Amino acid sequence: MTDHNDSDLPEGQYKLRLFITGSTPRSTRAIENMRRICAENLEGRYDLEVVDVYQDPEATKDLQIIATPTLVKILPEPLRRIIGDLSDRERVLAGLDIAPLGKGDHE
Amino acid sequence: MNRPSEFSSIEHSQLIELQDRLREAEETLDAIRNGEVDALVVGGPSGQQVYTLENADRPYRVLIEQMQEGAVTLSEDGVMLYCNQRFAALVGADRQTLIGESIERFLAGEEIFAFRRLMTLDRGFGRSAELSLLASNGLVVPVNMSIADLEVDEQMPKVLCGVITDLTRSRERSHELAAANLRLAREIDERRRVEDSLQLALDAAEMGHWDLDLLNNTLTRSTRHDQIFGQVNGVKGWGLLTMLSQFVPDDRNAVNEEFLRAESSGSVEFERRIHRLNDGAVRWVQVKGRTFYLNDKAIRISGVVSDVTERRQVEEQLRQSQKMEAIGKLTGGIAHDFNNLLMVIGGSLDMLDQRVAKNEKITRYLTAARHGVERGATLNQQLLAFSRRQDLRAETICIDDLINTFANLLDRAVGEAVTVKIEAAPELWYCRTDAHQLETAILNLAINARDAMPQGGTLTLKTTIRMLDVQAATANGASAGDYVAVSVADTGVGMTPDVIERVFEPFFTTKEVGKGTGLGLSQVYGFARQSGGFVSIESCPGIGTTVSIHLPRATSLEATEVVADTPVEVRGKGIVLVVEDDSDVRAVASSLLEDLGYSVLEAETGSEAMKLMDRGERIDLVFTDVIMPGEMNGIDLVRAMKIKHAGIPVLLTSGYTAQRIAMAEMAEGLQLLRKPYTQVDLSLAVRSVMKDQA
Ligand SMILES: Nc1ncnc2c1ncn2[C@@H]1O[C@H](COP(=O)(O)OP(=O)(O)O)[C@@H](O)[C@H]1O
Ligand SMILES: [Mg+2]
């Protein structure tokens, strides 16, 4: 994508929403991965909501969710959806438009 | 034609945006194709539907399997479609044998109807009932069964799900709870009984109960408490201040301090005066209590209160009579010595009278001196009367007769300024007492009345009957029964309470030197006590005084003794042994006897007298003092003589007659000559004893 500059972190709060399906193994993994990524890269400047589509199916409508788990970056713009259990860290960081912190460009 | 320009108008950023969205869509499709998702969300007319893929609901299954409640799904008629492990364990059967079975298999009798009611009951969201399951091993398991309709799909047949909770433990617990409740109820009962009997005991002790809450300053009181304070219709909301205001102003500070002190000392106890509300009477109350603490802070003081006015009156009475008793002993001792002195002076005068050549002057001096001795003797009689060592010559007399015989004397005694009124009793009442002493007592009262009315007034002498019950009698230090009260009332200056308190004390007088001796009321007091009665005084400064002598009423009339004629001395012959420890008195007695014609032997002690008799001296009469120091007094001497020298007559003499009782045990006929005696008294006594013997 754009340049992978170490110090080039976007300014401002991150508003994230993670859609899951109850306590399935994949959903559970998605939650764990998400928390780790946030803690390592967005410390103190993110706002994460986890939505169980079993409990609140209507919540999928606005953000046009078609499958779970799906992570949605609402802010900063542009809006991005990342599907799956979020175990591919690189892909997630790219989707969030964040360069990995203190690690090389490649794992 | 516009196309290239349109196309070129798409900005670079928009292009990137479109690229990203395309990739996002591809990724989504890939994820679904590769099975990287759990569920698909499909919009429909009835809202968003979630379609789970794979074993997405496995965790719920595990949850249901693992939970401690039995779980079943049932068809409408109770056939089990699913049950968890816990339910199988509950009914003690294999899971495989249960599916397809009716759950009613495990319900006995009545319970089936209860279950069916539950199934058909108002098909609302959830409902539950307590049932008993009959397990395969025969055990009955109490359970709670809650049932809910499981709405999965409209096309699906009706399914219900049930959760079954084992109540065995909680039943056990509620049994334990019930048992604990029962114990508690019994304890409460027991406490209430204890409280009841405490209440009874407090009532019996006439004690009130109070409880002062220090945190919000409220005082709770029992009914008896309020009665003691004269609070008839219970007023709510007492605080410490309300309590303090009940006490007389002089005592309030002290009471307040007692309560303050109680907060640190842990207890309170005092006796103070209150103004009783209903009648305004001043009463003594005793307050006792204990302080209760919470975290070292005094939070309440609780205790009892009782009215101790009567007890204090009795104590005061006792203290008074003990004081009088002590003074009486002291006075008795003085009177004894005083008698001996009078004896010496009087006896010496008698002898001087016979030995000196008389002229008019000498005769006048002698008369004056003898007069002095007589007055001394009268005073001494009063002292003796007070100390109750007077010899009472008791006889049954009619009080009104007696009063009538000396009404004249009374008139003369009080003078012309005072009007004497005598109110006769409605009947004739009798007393057993010493008429002379009673006369003296009435005379003493009349003289006091006169002195109290220097400007004149009225003296009323009256007799009444008073019936005393035990309580009234003990308050006066007497025994219950009928009393004849002889009272002398005047309209004079009256007395203040502190004077009343002391009037019976010998030598207490408010009169000028020479006018009062302070012995008048002492005589009245001693005489009344010795007669088995008592004296009461009512007096009000400026209004007057009534003093009443109470004498026990006698039932039968006895013959009154005949009073002898005026005596003259009688001379005689014989040898008299005079036993007396006081050498002056002994010398006087010997001289008097020698003068009367007797020969005299002297002994200083009882044992010396015995020695003389043992030696075989001729002795016609032993004249001995009763009270002598040493191992043998007069009475002992008489006892010793009874054994060895029974033939020798004895005449006793004494300044006071406390030994009367001891003498009463001895042979009758023993005569006693009261000191101080005149030569005439002595001559008559000696003659009568020797004549009896002859
Ligand atoms: N009737 C009375 N009225 C007022 N005071 C009295 C009366 N009787 C006695 N008292 C008081 O009691 C005191 C003692 O009386 P009492 O023993 O008779 O001695 P005295 O008369 O010699 O003083 C009197 O001094 C007087 O103060
Ligand atoms: Mg007097």
Side-chain angles (χ1 to χ4, degrees):
Chain A
M1 274 206 291
T2 47
D3 45 352
H4 286 187
N5 195 327
D6 276 7
S7 57
D8 190 13
L9 284 172
E11 298 281 320
Q13 282 294 117
Y14 273 78
K15 188 172 163 77
L16 307 171
R17 194 167 294 165
L18 176 62
F19 290 84
I20 53 144
T21 329
S23 34
T24 61
R26 197 168 275 117
S27 292
T28 312
R29 269 202 310 276
I31 294 173
E32 282 169 2
N33 287 331
M34 191 61 231
R35 290 209 169 274
R36 198 169 49 242
I37 291 168
C38 286
E40 283 171 4
N41 300 280
L42 294 172
E43 175 70 55
R45 47 194 187 98
Y46 70 94
D47 175 12
L48 173 68
E49 266 179 54
V50 179
V51 178
D52 184 345
V53 297
Y54 270 146
Q55 288 172 9
D56 190 5
E58 297 303 314
T60 55
K61 220 170 176 176
D62 284 350
L63 294 170
Q64 298 164 6
I65 303 299
I66 51 169
T68 60
T70 296
L71 172 69
V72 183
K73 174 179 71 113
I74 301 167
L75 281 175
E77 303 216 54
L79 191 125
R80 280 280 173 278
R81 293 182 193 76
I82 303 156
I83 200 157
D85 66 4
L86 310 180
S87 50
D88 184 346
R89 200 159 152 273
E90 293 298 311
R91 198 161 67 92
V92 176
L93 288 175
L96 292 177
D97 207 7
I98 303 171
L101 186 72
K103 304 214 169 140
D105 287 357
H106 306 282
E107 297 228 315
Chain B
M1 103 188 158
N2 271 345
R3 207 163 278 234
S5 64
E6 262 179 31
F7 199 74
S8 63
S9 73
I10 296 172
E11 284 176 25
H12 180 63
S13 64
Q14 280 174 310
L15 201 63
I16 290 175
E17 167 72 21
L18 288 172
Q19 249 175 18
D20 282 353
R21 283 174 66 176
L22 184 65
R23 198 187 55 217
E24 195 185 281
E26 278 171 351
E27 275 176 12
T28 304
L29 283 176
D30 277 351
I32 295 171
R33 210 177 287 126
N34 297 338
E36 285 169 14
V37 297
D38 288 333
L40 294 177
V41 185
V42 180
S46 56
Q48 305 289 107
Q49 288 283 334
V50 178
Y51 288 91
T52 321
L53 307 175
E54 266 193 17
N55 291 327
D57 52 2
R58 238 185 81 84
Y60 302 106
R61 248 179 196 283
V62 175
L63 183 68
I64 301 255
E65 284 302 327
Q66 297 291 308
M67 74 180 187
Q68 285 308 299
E69 267 77 31
V72 289
T73 52
L74 301 169
S75 72
E76 244 177 322
D77 46 6
V79 173
M80 290 181 275
L81 306 171
Y82 163 84
C83 78
N84 68 356
Q85 188 54 48
R86 176 68 187 144
F87 180 79
L90 219 64
V91 295
D94 246 6
R95 209 137 56 118
Q96 286 81 341
T97 66
L98 292 176
I99 309 297
E101 271 280 345
S102 170
I103 197 170
E104 291 184 4
R105 195 182 117 191
F106 301 103
L107 293 164
E110 293 287 307
E111 300 290 282
I112 288 178
F113 302 108
F115 170 73
R116 285 185 187 162
R117 241 187 340 269
L118 185 63
M119 292 287 279
T120 53
L121 206 78
D122 155 45
R123 311 223 128 190
F125 190 67
R127 48 211 189 263
S128 72
E130 289 195 2
L131 298 169
S132 292
L133 287 188
L134 190 64
S136 318
N137 57 11
L139 277 180
V140 175
V141 186
V143 295
N144 180 74
M145 186 183 288
S146 50
I147 301 259
D149 298 327
L150 198 61
E151 290 192 41
V152 182
D153 205 308
E154 269 158 36
Q155 282 86 55
M156 255 179 84
K158 194 121 216 139
V159 172
L160 299 104
C161 65
V163 173
I164 293 112
T165 313
D166 185 351
L167 296 179
T168 316
R169 280 291 320 263
S170 88
R171 282 276 161 83
E172 274 168 15
R173 216 152 338 126
S174 64
H175 281 144
E176 281 165 22
L177 211 66
N181 271 341
L182 197 69
R183 258 201 316 279
L184 210 66
R186 284 213 193 99
E187 265 167 39
I188 289 171
D189 267 5
E190 181 59 29
R191 268 189 99 106
R192 208 166 278 150
R193 249 201 308 284
V194 168
E195 259 168 35
D196 279 356
S197 51
L198 200 67
Q199 194 56 49
L200 282 178
L202 279 176
D203 259 7
E206 302 194 336
M207 280 179 168
H209 173 250
W210 52 268
D211 190 307
L212 177 63
D213 185 331
L214 295 168
L215 299 182
N216 48 29
N217 184 30
T218 48
L219 187 78
T220 9
R221 305 101 52 207
S222 69
T223 323
R224 170 74 70 179
H225 172 286
D226 284 3
Q227 279 167 4
I228 290 171
F229 283 84
Q231 179 109 50
V232 215
N233 28 9
V235 168
K236 293 220 158 71
W238 272 41
L240 184 58
L241 277 181
T242 336
M243 149 98 100
L244 285 181
S245 67
Q246 311 298 310
F247 287 85
V248 302
D250 279 355
D251 285 4
R252 270 175 217 165
N253 263 341
V255 173
N256 192 23
E257 272 161 28
E258 293 283 4
F259 273 101
L260 282 179
R261 205 172 13 253
E263 288 183 26
S264 50
S265 73
S267 66
V268 64
E269 175 168 2
F270 60 83
E271 280 182 21
R272 290 284 167 182
R273 290 163 297 169
I274 58 162
H275 269 302
R276 195 159 58 190
L277 277 172
N278 54 352
D279 59 0
V282 172
R283 306 289 294 178
W284 280 91
V285 295
Q286 184 189 53
V287 173
K288 270 189 190 181
R290 244 182 70 193
T291 314
F292 294 86
Y293 298 90
L294 184 71
N295 304 328
D296 288 340
K297 185 171 154 44
I299 51 160
R300 47 188 273 255
I301 310 175
S302 177
V304 291
V305 60
S306 47
D307 186 318
V308 294
T309 316
E310 261 149 41
R311 195 207 70 208
R312 286 184 70 100
Q313 274 165 357
V314 171
E315 273 173 10
E316 177 57 26
Q317 187 76 33
L318 187 68
R319 203 177 57 76
Q320 186 70 14
S321 64
Q322 276 168 346
K323 183 178 83 181
M324 297 304 266
E325 194 61 40
I327 297 175
K329 284 211 177 92
L330 196 70
T331 321
I334 294 169
H336 175 69
D337 290 343
F338 196 43
N339 256 338
N340 280 346
L341 296 178
L342 288 175
M343 241 341 284
V344 174
I345 301 167
S348 305
L349 285 175
D350 280 351
M351 273 163 336
L352 270 180
D353 195 13
Q354 285 158 26
R355 308 246 157 117
V356 295
K358 272 173 251 173
N359 59 33
E360 199 193 323
K361 253 192 188 161
I362 289 177
T363 311
R364 208 168 57 232
Y365 290 149
L366 277 175
T367 313
R370 207 177 267 127
H371 201 71
V373 171
E374 270 163 26
R375 278 184 46 201
T378 313
L379 277 181
N380 214 33
Q381 284 308 313
Q382 292 190 331
L383 276 181
L384 284 169
F386 169 73
S387 63
R388 282 177 263 158
R389 281 165 176 152
Q390 178 85 292
D391 192 3
L392 268 194
R393 288 167 206 171
E395 51 188 322
T396 306
I397 53 164
C398 171
I399 303 283
D400 278 328
D401 284 352
L402 179 98
I403 287 173
N404 287 331
T405 58
F406 78 104
N408 276 338
L409 184 67
L410 213 60
D411 266 339
R412 244 183 300 136
V414 297
E416 296 192 336
V418 175
T419 318
V420 176
K421 273 197 205 157
I422 295 179
E423 288 182 14
E427 339 166 14
L428 297 180
W429 288 322
Y430 295 89
C431 281
R432 224 183 127 64
T433 186
D434 183 321
H436 286 282
Q437 294 268 358
L438 179 56
E439 273 178 20
T440 310
I442 295 173
L443 215 54
N444 278 330
L445 294 183
I447 289 165
N448 282 348
R450 177 202 65 193
D451 291 349
M453 301 184 287
Q455 321 293 348
T458 310
L459 181 157
T460 312
L461 178 62
K462 115 176 149 181
T463 45
T464 48
I465 287 276
R466 278 189 67 191
M467 278 157 256
L468 296 192
D469 57 17
V470 178
Q471 203 177 351
T474 36
N476 287 295
S479 33
D482 287 359
Y483 287 82
V484 179
V486 182
S487 42
V488 176
D490 64 52
T491 55
V493 293
M495 289 177 266
T496 55
D498 51 308
V499 170
I500 295 180
E501 204 173 301
R502 301 193 55 197
V503 287
F504 293 134
E505 289 173 24
F507 308 114
F508 174 80
T509 180
T510 59
K511 294 169 191 172
E512 295 167 36
V513 180
K515 284 222 169 142
T517 57
L519 287 174
L521 285 177
S522 307
Q523 183 269 338
V524 174
Y525 174 86
F527 156 70
R529 302 292 297 157
Q530 202 176 357
S531 306
F534 61 94
V535 186
S536 68
I537 296 183
E538 282 155 41
S539 187
C540 191
I543 291 176
T545 305
T546 304
V547 184
S548 309
I549 305 171
H550 293 74
L551 299 171
R553 183 183 184 180
T555 41
S556 66
L557 177 59
E558 286 175 10
T560 314
E561 284 160 31
V562 190
V563 185
D565 310 301
T566 353
V568 266
E569 63 172 57
V570 226
R571 300 178 60 82
K573 265 193 215 105
I575 300 167
V576 179
L577 170 59
V578 176
V579 190
E580 167 70 64
D581 60 303
D582 186 321
S583 57
D584 288 343
V585 176
R586 195 168 64 237
V588 170
S590 302
S591 308
L592 288 174
L593 286 166
E594 277 165 358
D595 235 53
L596 289 167
Y598 300 97
S599 312
V600 175
L601 285 174
E602 290 184 10
E604 203 182 331
T605 64
S607 33
E608 203 181 299
M610 276 307 285
K611 262 183 227 150
L612 282 171
M613 283 181 269
D614 290 347
R615 264 206 323 250
E617 280 312 318
R618 187 195 142 193
I619 291 163
D620 300 311
L621 174 81
V622 173
F623 177 46
T624 179
D625 194 8
V626 173
I627 296 159
M628 288 183 292
E631 74 272 30
M632 193 179 261
N633 64 26
I635 307 283
D636 300 330
L637 178 61
V638 173
R639 285 206 184 104
M641 283 172 65
K642 275 218 132 171
I643 300 162
K644 286 166 138 184
H645 308 284
I648 305 175
V650 181
L651 173 62
L652 292 165
T653 182
S654 179
Y656 54 81
T657 48
Q659 279 75 21
R660 274 167 56 83
I661 297 156
M663 287 175 59
E665 308 168 343
M666 313 212 28
E668 310 218 336
L670 264 182
Q671 281 211 27
L672 183 107
L673 179 62
R674 206 192 307 187
K675 280 185 194 171
Y677 45 83
T678 63
Q679 197 167 35
V680 177
D681 297 336
L682 179 62
S683 74
L684 291 174
V686 169
R687 269 311 289 256
S688 97
V689 174
M690 290 188 31
K691 199 164 64 198
D692 283 356
Q693 210 61 30

